[in-house]
Structures are given as C-alpha cells and as structure tokens.
C-alpha cells in the first residue's frame, strides 16, 4: 500500500512538473511575441522599396535591352550588382556527398582565404574531418586567413556544440576568426526566460556561403552530417574573383557586428564595433549594421558603372541578393516578388522550399499576378527534418501541411489549380531541404525545355526568411545550353522523388493543437 501511495505521489509530482514547464514555455512565448512584435512595429518596414536599396540609374545602360537573354527580367540590372561570367565557371552539384567532398577538398587546398557562413557546424566525424582539414592547411600555410560565421544561439546549444568544435582552430592561430551572430531582437526579459532551442525562434544567421580563395559555393545546406549524406539540398559552385570578393566583404561586415570567440571561449565585441546586440539600443545597432551592409552594395554599384556586361566571353550573369529583415534589409524579397509578378504567359516557374510557409505577399503574387505555369515542391511530412522529434516540435511537419493546405484552398478559390500545382518530396531514409526557383522562358509561343534562370541560396521564402533570419541568394541567368541542361538535370533529380500533393493535403488530418499553434506562431516558422 505504501508503495502504491508513493507511485501515485510520484505521478502527481511529475504531472505538476510537466504542467509547470508548459506554463513557463507559453508565458515565455507570449512575452517573446509581445516584445518581438513591438520591435517590428517600431523598426521594421513591410516588403516595399526602402532606403536600403535604391534601384541604380545606370544598370539598364550597361546592356542593350534587346540583347538581354530572358523575357522581361532586365529590371535585375538595376536591382542588384551584376557579375558576368562564363558558364564553364559555374558548376551545379546534385548530391550531398559531392557537396561535402567539394567543401573538404577546398578546405584542404585553399591558398589565402577560407570564409564560411552557416547556421551551425555539426559535431560528428565528418565535421571533425572538415575542421582537421582547415587546421592542417593553416599549419602548412601561414598566409591562409580563416573566417567562420555561425549563429550564436544555434552554435552554442548544448555542452558539445559548434563553438567547441572550432576552438582548436582559434587556439592554433590568430589567422582564424570565429564569429557568432547574435540577433538584436533577443534581449532583456526575452533573452533571460526563453530556453535554448526556443530562443532560435526569434531570429538566426541563416546564410550558407562557403568561400575558398576565388571560388564560392552558394547553398541552403548547413555544415553537418545529414546535409553531407541524406538530406537533399541545392549547391552551386562559382569560380569568380569579383563575386567571391563581394561575398567576402558582406561576410566581413556581418563578422564585425557579431560576437568574436576568444581563445578562452568567451564571446566579445570585435574591436571596431561598439554596440552589444542584446544590450545596446536596438535602433542604433540596426542602423549601423544596415549601413555597413549597404556600403558593400554601393561599392559594387560604383565599380560597375562603366561595365559592359556583354564583353569578353560572358554568357552567364550573377545577381547576389540579401534579406536581413531584422536589420530592415528587404532586398531578396523585392527581387523575388518582382520575378513572381512578372513571369509571362506561356513560361513556367518551378519553386522549391524545404519548409512551406510562403509569405502572404508571395502567395498573392503567385495566385493573382504571376502568369506562368507554376509548380512548387515541398517536403512530405515523412521527409521533414522534424519528423519523429519530441513534442512539441513533432507537430512541425503537420504545421507545414496545414499551411500548404490553406494555400491550396486559396488556389482553388481563385480557380488557379490548373496553372499552379503542389508536389511533395518523399524518399526513403532521406529528408528534404531544397529551395529556390527555376524559370523556363516563353520563346516564340513555346515554353523552353531548359531553364534559363535559377535562384539558389538559403531562403525558404517564408515568414522567417523575410522578417527574421539573415539570408543570401544568387540569381543566375544564362544563355549557355550546357548550364541550362545542368539546371534541368538538377530539378529533374529532385522531381524524381516528388508526387502530386493536392489530394493528400485535402485528406491529411491535422491535430487540433497544431492548428492552434499555427494560428499563434505562424510568423516564427
């Protein structure tokens, strides 16, 4: 009898502990929402033209519009710096293991610079081998400069974490700098009460840029085992000094307003930065950070004023775009919306996102403005990285299904289901994280078989990508049939594991608690 009473008491105690924890989480979440929303109201602009980026007045004169190889998207010449290259300097990578091999080989052979930006670095053997490759290269080459940028909250989560993995590099040489970006939105009571993992909802460093000397890999993949083995993403390697210099300067600016990891493991401000992201005045931090990023764009524009984009052997043009909503930088979203809105009748637009939570602006553009035939590939719940995780993150795959279900309802209401189709990626023992755009133009009233444009990078085109995280992308336009064929092969490789999703979305049962969470937290997904 005593044992039974003890069991009942233990069950009661555990129940109270669970309830207390849930109450604490919900209180923290609502406090966070109140604080973060008030921050956006005060300092964040909607996705409209802002003073961060003024379309250049010279871009359209750098190339005759009749020579432009893609429909009516010549506006890009005025909306972003442009880097003309030969298509032989652009390589599409299809498999995660090939992405890893490229990273590893480049890390071993880089001569003068390695600059990596990712959400985090994993803690397994493949990641350790990558760190060792960089370490060995540094030991043999004292001219090699290594800069690694990760997110603070994600990079310091747990006792064994990204920061710990990188300490051997920091201790080995002053030529290695590791910085952790700390969002200025995570501050005050929000920073104190929200536990690890949950604090990542506020905002992250999400760019995926892997730069070695004059070569840069743009991707949506992080530096961890899953992304090296069985997590489908996208990766393009570009060999061009000017583009590499541009991204190196962007990363240098983000390093400057991030926290520097010292040899003793402490995180401090960089020498020439005076604003602590979570303590200094929010508006002051944002304004200064934003100016520093803007200066890189202005420098690139000024250098290109007299450039002839058709000279030499260029058959491909690269347009880098950034989105840093928490710093009031809306650039990539402006370019993306304009592409969606201006896609012509008879063309086709193929879209991919690892996490389906398109902004209302994007959804409205696709349904009401876009004239192209559209298809969108997203992760099937079984291919979502959160599948099988602990409560409450176990409900995330259902949450994305619910959001896709609502979008399909909008498509049907506007009678656009013949023009817009939804697909889901599902592959045994694989997860899905690919995102981007492929565009097939309309040539003489016939849709081109091969895409002449793609957008690749870290953005999922969702609420987080536009308003919370730091994102980097590249829009690639090409006349090269070989590169166009590579882009088609890339898309077909993903499409091979995708199937029509509409019927499944209609019949899929979503738990009521997930519906409530989506209603409250949609802008954090």
């Amino acid at each position: 009898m005593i044992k039974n009473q003890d069991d009942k008491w233990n069950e009661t105690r555990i129940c109270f502990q669970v309830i207390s924890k849930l109450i604490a989480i919900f209180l923290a979440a609502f406090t966070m929402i109140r604080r973060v929303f008030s921050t956006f109201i005060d300092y964040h602009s909607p996705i409209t033209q802002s003073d961060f980026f003024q379309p250049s007045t010279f871009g359209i004169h750098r190339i005759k519009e009749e020579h432009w190889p893609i429909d009516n998207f010549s506006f890009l010449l005025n909306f972003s710096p442009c880097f003309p290259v030969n298509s032989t300097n652009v390589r599409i990578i299809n498999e995660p293991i090939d992405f890893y091999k490229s990273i590893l080989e480049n890390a071993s052979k880089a001569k003068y610079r390695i600059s990596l930006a990712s959400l985090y670095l994993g803690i397994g053997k493949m990641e350790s081998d990558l760190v060792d490759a960089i370490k060995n290269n540094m030991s043999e080459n004292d001219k090699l400069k290594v800069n690694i940028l990760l997110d603070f909250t994600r990079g310091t989560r747990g006792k064994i974490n990204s920061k710990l993995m990188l300490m051997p590099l920091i201790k080995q040489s002053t030529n290695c700098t590791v910085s952790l970006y700390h969002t200025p939105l995570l501050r005050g009571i929000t920073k104190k009460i929200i536990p690890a993992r949950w604090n990542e909802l506020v905002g992250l460093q999400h760019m995926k840029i892997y730069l070695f000397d004059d070569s840069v890999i743009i991707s949506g993949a992080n530096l961890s085992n899953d992304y090296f083995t069985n997590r489908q993403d996208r990766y393009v390697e570009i060999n061009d000094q000017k583009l590499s210099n541009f991204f190196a300067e962007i990363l240098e600016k983000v390093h400057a307003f991030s926290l520097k990891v010292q040899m003793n493991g402490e995180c401090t401000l960089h020498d020439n930065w005076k604003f602590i992201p979570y303590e200094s005045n929010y508006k002051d931090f944002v304004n200064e950070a934003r100016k520093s990023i803007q200066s890189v764009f202005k420098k690139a524009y000024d250098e290109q004023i007299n450039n002839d984009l058709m000279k030499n052997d260029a058959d491909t043009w690269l347009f880098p775009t950034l989105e840093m909503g928490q710093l009031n930088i809306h650039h990539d979203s402006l370019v993306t919306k304009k592409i969606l809105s201006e896609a012509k009748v008879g063309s086709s637009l193929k879209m991919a996102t690892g996490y389906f939570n398109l902004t209302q602006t994007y959804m409205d553009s696709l349904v009401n403005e876009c004239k192209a035939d559209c298809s969108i590939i997203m992760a099937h719940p079984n291919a979502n990285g959160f599948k099988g995780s602990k409560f409450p993150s176990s409900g995330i795959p259902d949450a994305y299904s619910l959001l896709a279900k609502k979008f399909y309802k909008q498509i049907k209401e506007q009678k656009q289901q013949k023009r817009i189709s939804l697909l889901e990626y599902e592959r045994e023992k694989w997860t899905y994280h690919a995102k981007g755009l492929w565009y097939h133009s309309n040539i003489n009233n016939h849709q081109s078989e091969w895409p002449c444009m793609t957008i690749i990078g870290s953005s999922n085109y969702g609420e987080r990508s536009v308003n919370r995280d730091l994102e980097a992308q590249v829009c690639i336009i090409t006349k090269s049939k070989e590169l166009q064929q590579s882009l088609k092969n890339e898309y077909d490789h993903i499409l091979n594991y995708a199937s029509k999703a509409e019927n499944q979305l209609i019949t899929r049962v979503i738990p009521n608690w997930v519906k409530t969470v989506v209603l409250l937290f949609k802008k954090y997904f």
Side-chain angles (χ1 to χ4, degrees):
M1 180 65 70
I2 294 176
K3 183 178 180 180
N4 289 338
Q5 288 177 342
D6 287 342
D7 288 343
K8 289 180 180 179
W9 167 246
N10 285 333
E11 290 176 1
T12 303
R13 180 171 55 82
I14 292 171
C15 185
F16 273 114
Q17 288 176 344
V18 171
I19 292 172
S20 299
K21 190 172 183 178
L22 287 172
I23 291 173
I25 289 172
F26 276 104
L27 286 175
F30 278 109
T31 302
M32 176 179 67
I33 289 173
R34 178 182 58 80
R35 181 174 292 276
V36 174
F37 275 9
S38 66
T39 301
F40 281 138
I41 290 170
D42 289 341
Y43 303 123
H44 281 249
S45 64
I47 308 176
T48 55
Q49 187 65 55
S50 70
D51 61 351
F52 164 74
F53 180 78
Q54 297 294 338
S56 63
T57 58
F58 60 82
I60 200 67
H61 302 296
R62 293 178 292 170
I63 182 172
K64 291 182 179 180
E65 195 157 3
E66 62 267 25
H67 292 161
W68 190 236
I70 174 172
D71 289 354
N72 57 336
F73 291 162
S74 58
F75 72 84
L76 285 164
L77 293 164
N78 288 329
F79 267 72
S80 175
C82 179
F83 298 89
V85 299
N86 186 277
S87 57
T88 57
N89 293 322
V90 180
R91 181 171 75 101
I92 307 300
I93 302 172
N94 291 317
E95 296 291 345
I97 190 61
D98 294 327
F99 165 62
Y100 176 69
K101 289 177 180 177
S102 296
I103 293 282
L104 195 64
E105 181 180 1
N106 285 323
S108 302
K109 295 182 177 180
K111 300 299 182 184
Y112 70 94
R113 69 178 172 189
I114 295 175
S115 189
L116 311 178
S118 188
L119 174 60
Y120 68 100
L121 173 75
I123 58 175
K125 185 181 185 306
M126 298 182 83
E127 299 90 324
S128 295
D129 289 346
L130 175 58
V131 172
D132 288 343
I134 297 173
K135 186 178 179 181
N136 293 337
N137 196 348
M138 280 200 303
S139 66
E140 297 172 1
N141 181 5
D142 58 9
K143 294 182 180 179
L144 180 64
K145 302 289 185 183
V146 177
N147 296 299
I148 300 175
L149 173 69
L150 305 175
D151 181 73
F152 180 89
T153 54
R154 186 64 178 86
T156 59
R157 185 210 293 176
K159 291 183 179 180
I160 302 176
N161 52 44
S162 304
K163 186 179 81 169
L164 185 64
M165 291 285 291
L166 294 169
M167 288 307 299
L169 300 181
I170 299 171
K171 293 178 178 179
Q172 175 175 318
S173 173
T174 56
N175 282 350
C176 178
T177 299
V178 175
S179 298
L180 304 176
Y181 174 81
H182 190 297
T183 172
L185 293 172
L186 186 62
R187 56 176 53 233
I189 189 172
T190 309
K191 181 175 174 63
K192 291 178 181 178
I193 67 176
I194 299 183
R197 293 183 67 95
W198 294 93
N199 56 14
E200 297 172 27
L201 293 173
V202 180
L204 297 166
Q205 190 311 101
H206 199 248
M207 297 184 293
K208 320 295 169 62
I209 302 170
Y210 308 118
L211 196 155
F212 308 90
D213 293 340
D214 296 333
S215 177
V216 58
I217 297 176
I218 303 296
S219 181
N222 292 303
L223 297 174
S224 71
N225 181 80
D226 288 353
Y227 292 91
F228 299 152
T229 54
N230 63 343
R231 190 157 170 77
Q232 183 64 61
D233 214 299
R234 299 182 66 207
Y235 339 81
V236 59
E237 184 172 13
I238 302 165
N239 185 15
D240 182 70
Q241 185 182 56
K242 291 183 178 179
L243 180 70
S244 297
N245 288 344
F246 174 84
F247 276 120
E249 289 185 52
I250 289 291
L251 295 182
E252 181 182 334
K253 297 299 184 182
V254 181
H255 272 277
F257 52 77
S258 299
L259 300 175
K260 182 179 180 180
V261 181
Q262 302 291 346
M263 287 190 178
N264 61 3
E266 292 184 2
C267 296
T268 64
L269 292 179
H270 282 263
D271 291 340
N272 296 322
W273 189 261
K274 61 182 179 180
F275 301 103
I276 301 174
Y278 50 87
E279 290 183 359
S280 299
N281 179 273
Y282 174 84
K283 191 171 184 178
D284 290 341
F285 179 93
V286 167
N287 286 342
E288 289 303 311
R290 191 164 170 270
K291 284 179 188 176
S292 67
I293 298 296
Q294 189 177 28
S295 69
V296 182
F297 274 79
K298 185 178 186 306
K299 178 184 175 184
Y301 299 144
D302 292 344
E303 290 176 350
Q304 294 181 1
I305 286 178
N306 297 315
N307 282 8
D308 178 4
L309 299 183
M310 296 296 287
K311 69 178 182 180
N312 300 328
D313 58 351
D315 59 8
T316 301
W317 296 265
L318 313 172
F319 299 88
T321 60
L322 296 180
E323 192 77 4
M324 299 179 174
Q326 55 188 261
L327 304 181
N328 198 20
I329 295 174
H330 294 293
H331 178 223
D332 178 73
S333 57
L334 284 170
V335 170
T336 301
K337 183 191 181 304
K338 199 163 178 62
I339 288 173
L340 297 180
S341 301
E342 299 193 10
K344 284 184 174 181
V345 173
S347 63
S348 73
L349 192 66
K350 305 178 191 306
M351 192 174 194
T353 175
Y355 304 112
F356 186 92
N357 187 17
L358 300 186
T359 66
Q360 193 61 51
T361 298
Y362 287 156
M363 290 191 290
D364 290 344
S365 294
L366 284 167
V367 174
N368 301 319
E369 297 174 324
C370 181
K371 304 303 181 186
D373 293 330
C374 298
S375 61
I376 304 173
I377 301 180
M378 66 195 85
H380 186 279
N382 292 334
N384 189 294
F386 291 95
K387 178 72 174 180
S389 60
K390 295 180 180 179
F391 176 85
S393 58
S394 59
I396 290 177
D398 287 323
Y400 287 119
S401 286
L402 177 62
L403 292 166
K405 198 172 186 176
K406 289 183 176 181
F407 179 52
Y408 183 59
K409 181 179 179 181
Q410 182 180 350
I411 293 171
K412 289 184 68 177
E413 288 175 349
Q414 298 299 319
K415 298 180 180 179
Q416 296 293 312
Q417 58 266 42
K418 289 185 178 181
R419 187 178 62 84
I420 304 174
S421 60
L422 304 180
L423 302 98
E424 290 182 330
Y425 179 101
E426 185 177 17
R427 183 178 180 184
E428 187 176 2
K429 297 182 179 179
W430 279 62
T431 55
Y432 176 79
H433 199 246
K435 50 263 192 179
L437 294 174
W438 298 260
Y439 181 77
H440 297 244
S441 61
N442 179 5
I443 302 175
N444 298 325
N445 295 320
H446 293 284
Q447 188 181 113
S448 172
E449 179 184 359
W450 299 333
C452 56
M453 180 186 75
T454 190
I455 298 178
I456 184 169
S458 60
S459 176
N460 282 295
Y461 305 109
E463 294 287 349
R464 290 194 60 85
S465 296
V466 172
N467 290 315
R468 302 202 170 279
D469 298 341
L470 306 190
E471 310 281 11
Q473 306 224 107
V474 174
C475 178
I476 302 173
I477 291 179
T478 184
K479 294 194 301 182
S480 164
K481 296 302 180 185
E482 290 77 11
L483 181 53
Q484 290 178 3
Q485 181 66 62
S486 294
L487 290 172
K488 183 178 187 300
N489 292 343
E490 177 199 36
Y491 180 79
D492 288 345
H493 176 68
I494 296 172
L495 184 65
N496 188 48
Y497 299 97
S499 58
K500 286 277 190 176
E502 288 90 345
N503 291 337
Q504 292 190 58
L505 288 172
I506 292 171
T507 58
R508 193 170 292 154
V509 178
I510 308 297
N512 288 329
W513 72 269
V514 171
K515 295 178 182 178
T516 302
V517 169
V518 169
L519 182 66
L520 294 173
F521 297 101
K522 180 180 184 292
K523 292 185 181 295
Y524 290 84
F525 284 26

